[in-house]
Amino acid sequence: KKDFIEAKYDFIDEMMKLGGISPHLDSGAKVLDVGCGVGGTSRYLAKALGPKADVTGITLSPNQVKRATELAKEQDVPNAKFTVMNALEMDFPDNSFDIVWACESGEHMPDKEAYINEMMRVLKPGGKYVMATWCQRDDRDKPFTEKDKRDLNYLYEEWTHPYFISIEKYAELIDATGLMNKVTTADWNEQTIASWRHSVWVGVYDPRGFIFKPHKYLKCVRDAYCLERMHRAFDRGLMEYGMFAATKKEV
């Protein structure tokens, strides 16, 4: 069985394929990673696309920027840089990037429309957009039951996510910008659920965590329970793992 890091890199490779992104086509690309965390994906993209590519990661956290910058230096990845910026109000001019990449940042955004609009704005004409994000199922044809609503509220509260929307709603927001060619969408639930679920349970099953760091271990157990609830929501179709790829219309 692959470990979590290997699975994550495999996922990035698959996401690149979905977006039509490759070293052959994008060796000199300017890339924006929206919601970069500590920069693991940004550094991977910078290495994968080659030294002529330029990858910028943005996050709201100064601590994440500091750590991401340290790791880029330690790993000798000079073409990945990081800055504190609000994804809903970016400082970049229109048409700045050849590739806009967003992986698991949409679920944290309090304004999904502004999030989509800003990413489309800073993408160059002909540029490539690819996004992965947690979604809830579309409830317009089949309304949520009371259990569905309770489960979603639990996930919002425990994970401090403002709200989820459906794959269909994201596609509508992308279309509504009028800037993009037809968006490709998919639900990658089956491809992704095992890896992140496995990553938390590894920590729970290791009893040394409780012996040496009991408070952190108990938090891990609670996180694991939340992840188990999330797993069940994905498993019964309440949650979906939304994937999106599109190119920006040429002027």
Side-chain angles (χ1 to χ4, degrees):
K1 181 182 284 187
K2 293 183 179 180
D3 66 22
F4 179 65
I5 299 298
E6 288 176 315
K8 179 182 176 183
Y9 291 153
D10 284 350
F11 179 79
I12 297 170
D13 288 338
E14 291 303 313
M15 195 166 163
M16 288 175 70
K17 288 179 190 174
L18 179 72
I21 300 164
S22 71
H24 174 67
L25 297 171
D26 303 294
S27 60
K30 285 188 67 177
V31 182
L32 176 64
D33 183 6
V34 180
C36 64
V38 294
T41 297
S42 301
R43 292 188 299 277
Y44 187 87
L45 290 171
K47 288 185 277 191
L49 297 178
K52 292 182 180 178
D54 181 65
V55 180
T56 300
I58 64 170
T59 172
L60 281 174
S61 167
N63 288 335
Q64 287 182 339
V65 167
K66 180 174 181 291
R67 185 57 182 147
T69 302
E70 291 170 351
L71 289 168
K73 187 172 183 180
E74 288 172 16
Q75 297 172 15
D76 192 25
V77 191
N79 57 328
K81 60 182 183 291
F82 305 92
T83 188
V84 175
M85 193 177 296
N86 182 357
L88 305 183
E89 296 180 284
M90 295 190 216
D91 299 335
F92 304 117
D94 295 355
N95 310 320
S96 293
F97 295 95
D98 301 293
I99 296 168
V100 172
W101 177 286
C103 186
E104 296 190 359
S105 55
E107 53 266 38
H108 301 284
M109 299 296 167
D111 186 335
K112 311 300 190 201
E113 184 176 6
Y115 171 63
I116 293 297
N117 288 349
E118 276 292 272
M119 291 190 288
M120 305 302 97
R121 179 183 69 78
V122 301
L123 184 63
K124 292 180 182 178
K128 301 171 183 178
Y129 170 69
V130 62
M131 175 175 75
T133 187
W134 298 0
C135 298
Q136 64 187 34
R137 70 167 174 81
D138 191 346
D139 67 328
R140 286 174 287 194
D141 292 332
K142 182 183 174 185
F144 292 133
T145 65
E146 288 305 311
K147 175 175 169 49
D148 290 339
K149 292 175 184 176
R150 287 196 304 271
D151 287 349
L152 285 170
N153 284 333
Y154 173 85
L155 296 175
Y156 293 152
E157 290 168 7
E158 287 295 323
W159 289 79
T160 62
H161 289 133
Y163 64 105
F164 304 118
I165 62 175
S166 67
I167 291 173
E168 292 82 358
K169 182 60 178 175
Y170 269 118
E172 289 166 11
L173 289 175
I174 293 168
D175 288 341
T177 67
L179 299 173
M180 305 298 287
N181 294 310
K182 183 173 173 57
V183 60
T184 296
T185 66
D187 178 5
W188 280 13
N189 176 19
E190 289 185 10
Q191 295 93 320
T192 57
I193 196 168
S195 61
W196 57 257
R197 186 181 186 226
H198 170 72
S199 70
V200 169
W201 282 110
V202 165
V204 175
Y205 287 146
D206 186 347
R208 292 173 298 177
F210 184 75
I211 295 167
F212 296 114
K213 295 182 178 178
H215 294 295
K216 286 189 176 180
Y217 178 81
L218 291 174
K219 181 182 184 301
C220 181
V221 170
R222 178 170 178 162
D223 288 348
Y225 175 71
C226 295
L227 266 181
E228 185 62 21
R229 290 282 294 267
M230 179 67 83
H231 169 80
R232 292 174 191 170
F234 274 103
D235 205 38
R236 65 186 177 88
L238 177 60
M239 293 292 295
E240 299 174 337
Y241 197 92
M243 300 297 302
F244 305 83
T247 55
K248 190 167 182 176
K249 293 176 181 176
E250 299 281 0
V251 175

